[in-house]
């Protein structure tokens, strides 16, 4: 596994500098004046405004993958892709430029380089589903800057539950799947993965995926059947984000558990018993 970038101790205040709606999601940028550059696959614990006050939920910060990070003279610009599914995500999706965002991070283990995932890898296959395209976007930029050949496969339920494609720029090699068929392949993004892994590709490509638990479990099984090595960016409910509460534990294939916030969220697909972790992931995550 790649080394994680260590988070500075404690939470820090950042400035929201941009916000835009993108389909059913929102992208906002926060300027982190003093933090390090995150690695693809890492996440931050976010909170804002009246969070934790007498006004009710949310009380705890919420976990978000970083979707893009760009170093500037005054700090690192962090982009987050948010789907409003509850009180915390609703507050974050409503943030406007000029408001403050409190962050802790970058946290967790990032994605590994393709040669670390699969020693014979000549390239990468990136698979994103729903709001899970966020860490896939920053990984794509990272691999592209190294000239690594890759295919990107993105899937959504329908137009209302999609967005953020601009995070992939003018990426020609993106394959799209919509369950309602209004664009791209009608069906699941894992149908596209099955095709991409045909022939000798399965052992020559490192597969990376993030999306809802059912999608991740399908990716895990497809890769296992075809002897393809994969890393999955997983989710589970996270109360602390730094290993203290054990709320994010997931079962390991070899027995025992790992805490996703410190031993993940990126895991080797063959390391876990199942990606269908109880309590994790909303329908379009
Ligand atoms: C490592 C990690 C990275 C994440 N990255 C993103 C991201 O980039 N963009 C984004 O929009 N969301 C992301 N999430 C999910 C996000 O943290 C949850 O949607 C959020 O915590 C929900 O908070 P809430 O107060 O809005 O809703 P809550 O009231 O807490 O939950 C509303 C519903 O959302 C679902 N939910 C709750 N917690 C999670 C969770 N951890 N994961 C998935 N579904 C959950 C449940 O079905 C619940 O019923 C990530 C989660 C993790 C663990
Ligand atoms: S979220 Fe608390 S231990 Fe992982």
């Amino acid at each position: 596994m790649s080394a994680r970038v260590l988070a500075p101790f404690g939470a820090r205040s950042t400035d929201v500098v941009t916000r835009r709606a993108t389909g059913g999601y929102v992208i906002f940028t926060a300027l982190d004046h003093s933090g390090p550059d995150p690695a693809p696959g890492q996440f931050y614990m976010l909170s804002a405004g009246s969070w934790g006050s007498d006004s009710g939920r949310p009380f705890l910060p919420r976990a978000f993958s970083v979707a893009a990070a760009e170093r500037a003279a005054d700090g690192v610009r962090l982009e987050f892709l948010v789907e409003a599914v509850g009180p915390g995500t609703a507050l974050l999706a409503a943030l406007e430029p000029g408001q403050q965002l409190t962050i802790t991070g970058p946290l967790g283990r990032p994605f590994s380089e393709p040669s670390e995932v699969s020693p014979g890898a000549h390239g990468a296959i990136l698979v994103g589903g729903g709001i899970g395209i966020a860490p896939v976007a920053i990984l794509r930029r990272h691999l592209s800057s190294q000239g690594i050949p890759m295919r990107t496969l993105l899937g959504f339920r329908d137009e209302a539950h999609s967005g953020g494609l601009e995070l992939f720029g003018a990426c020609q090699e993106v394959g799209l799947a919509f369950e309602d068929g209004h664009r791209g392949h009608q069906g699941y993004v894992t149908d596209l993965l099955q095709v991409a892994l045909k022939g000798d590709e399965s052992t020559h490509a490192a597969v990376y995926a993030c999306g809802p638990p059912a999608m991740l479990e399908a990716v895990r099984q497809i890769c296992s059947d075809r002897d393809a090595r994969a890393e999955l960016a997983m989710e589970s409910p996270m109360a602390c984000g730094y290993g203290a509460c054990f709320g994010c534990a997931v079962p390991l294939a070899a027995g025992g558990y790992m805490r996703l916030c410190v031993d993940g969220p990126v895991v080797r697909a063959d390391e876990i018993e199942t990606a269908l972790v109880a309590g994790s992931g909303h329908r379009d995550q």
Side-chain angles (χ1 to χ4, degrees), residues 69-95:
E70 197 166 333
R71 177 56 64 179
D74 47 358
V76 55
R77 285 170 172 260
L78 303 171
E79 280 200 325
F80 296 99
L81 181 68
V82 181
E83 182 178 29
V85 294
T89 43
L91 280 173
L92 292 170
L95 281 173

Side-chain angles (χ1 to χ4, degrees), residues 237-248 259 261:
M238 291 188 182
C240 71
Y242 49 78
C245 71
F246 285 73
C248 62
R259 286 166 298 171
C261 65

